[in-house]
Amino acid sequence: MAARRARPVRVLVDMDGVLADFEAGLLRGFQRRFPGEPHVPLEERRGFFAREQYGALRPDLADKVTSVYEAPGFFLDLEPIPGALEAMREMNAMQDTEVFICTSPLRKYDHCVGEKFRWVEKHLGPQFVERIILTRDKTVVSGDLLIDDKDTIRGQEETPSWEHILFTCCHNQHLALPPTRRRLLSWSDNWREIIGSKREAVQRDRSGLGPLQE
């Protein structure tokens, strides 16, 4: 009997803060648009939502920082995170691996949605445009791994199918994770090892062997 083909490992990769440098673009845009206003240096960013931290500095700054990332051209002009494009291409070429870009649009999506698609085509090519999953709720998307800089991801599914790998960003680098969770420090970190270990787990589950015994 022929051996069954291994099920591909499905990797979901977030966009802003993981592929595209949202935080650096936001700070640069804020300083350009509102020179002289107080700002939050990247090393002092805390919490996923920049609007909340700016609002704590001064209430009117919340709307000002929001206007930066809601403006036309913001998402399209973001710089790639170092090593992200190369990692995505290598990951996509790996045997028994499926890679998708899983990203959430802003609620005020006038410019955001189209620019995300254009950014992917510009930096990764049309083949990756076909692999964009645009959703406000990532918990309903089926996958084995989700690489994302948001520290807590909630939605309709209490137990998503994927393991959340926290991608280190300025706003989450101070967080201590429990031993059961994994972190990717950058695209120079051990992402290949993470995918490899998940592939082994998927193959064990498929064969019915369960977890390896120590």
Side-chain angles (χ1 to χ4, degrees):
M1 181 182 294
R4 291 186 299 176
R5 180 177 175 80
R7 176 175 75 76
V9 172
R10 181 173 297 167
V11 185
L12 310 173
V13 183
D14 179 36
M15 192 167 173
D16 303 317
V18 178
L19 299 180
D21 198 342
F22 180 93
E23 292 288 340
L26 180 61
L27 179 58
R28 185 168 55 247
F30 183 86
Q31 292 179 303
R32 183 186 304 124
R33 190 165 180 175
F34 302 106
E37 290 283 33
H39 64 275
V40 181
L42 294 182
E43 61 272 16
E44 295 178 15
R45 274 282 290 117
R46 296 292 184 272
F48 182 75
F49 296 105
R51 176 185 173 87
E52 294 178 359
Q53 190 171 6
Y54 273 80
L57 276 182
R58 204 176 71 210
D60 65 298
L61 294 180
D63 285 343
K64 287 184 176 181
V65 77
T66 300
S67 73
V68 174
Y69 58 73
E70 288 181 346
F74 174 78
F75 285 93
L76 183 59
D77 293 339
L78 294 178
E79 293 293 326
I81 295 282
L85 306 182
E86 296 81 359
M88 287 294 283
R89 295 187 186 104
E90 181 179 341
M91 202 182 301
N92 193 50
M94 294 174 91
Q95 186 175 0
D96 298 325
T97 307
E98 296 177 343
V99 185
F100 292 89
I101 297 170
C102 189
T103 182
S104 297
L106 299 177
R107 286 191 169 91
K108 188 175 180 181
Y109 54 81
D110 307 52
H111 310 293
C112 166
V113 171
E115 290 187 14
K116 282 176 177 283
F117 277 82
R118 289 163 62 194
W119 191 95
V120 170
E121 184 166 22
K122 174 183 177 182
H123 292 286
L124 288 167
Q127 69 274 24
F128 275 95
V129 173
E130 300 296 321
R131 293 185 166 270
I132 296 175
I133 300 172
L134 203 67
T135 178
R136 292 284 301 174
D137 186 350
K138 296 179 183 180
T139 70
V140 301
V141 181
S142 175
D144 298 298
L145 294 167
L146 171 65
I147 301 174
D148 202 302
D149 67 309
K150 190 174 185 179
D151 55 287
T152 303
I153 300 175
R154 296 189 177 94
Q156 289 294 317
E157 293 292 335
E158 291 187 10
T159 54
S161 61
W162 35 257
E163 176 191 355
H164 179 194
I165 305 298
L166 184 64
F167 191 88
T168 298
C169 190
C170 59
H171 63 76
N172 70 34
Q173 60 185 348
H174 63 292
L175 297 176
L177 299 184
T180 54
R181 290 194 58 185
R182 296 194 278 181
R183 179 190 282 272
L184 196 60
L185 296 175
S186 71
W187 285 113
S188 298
D189 199 6
N190 62 344
W191 63 266
R192 298 174 190 84
E193 180 182 324
I194 289 174
I195 293 177
S197 66
K198 181 58 66 172
R199 180 177 290 107
E200 291 177 3
V202 166
Q203 290 172 353
R204 288 199 302 272
D205 289 345
R206 192 165 188 262
S207 65
L209 295 177
L212 290 176
Q213 299 297 314
E214 296 293 339

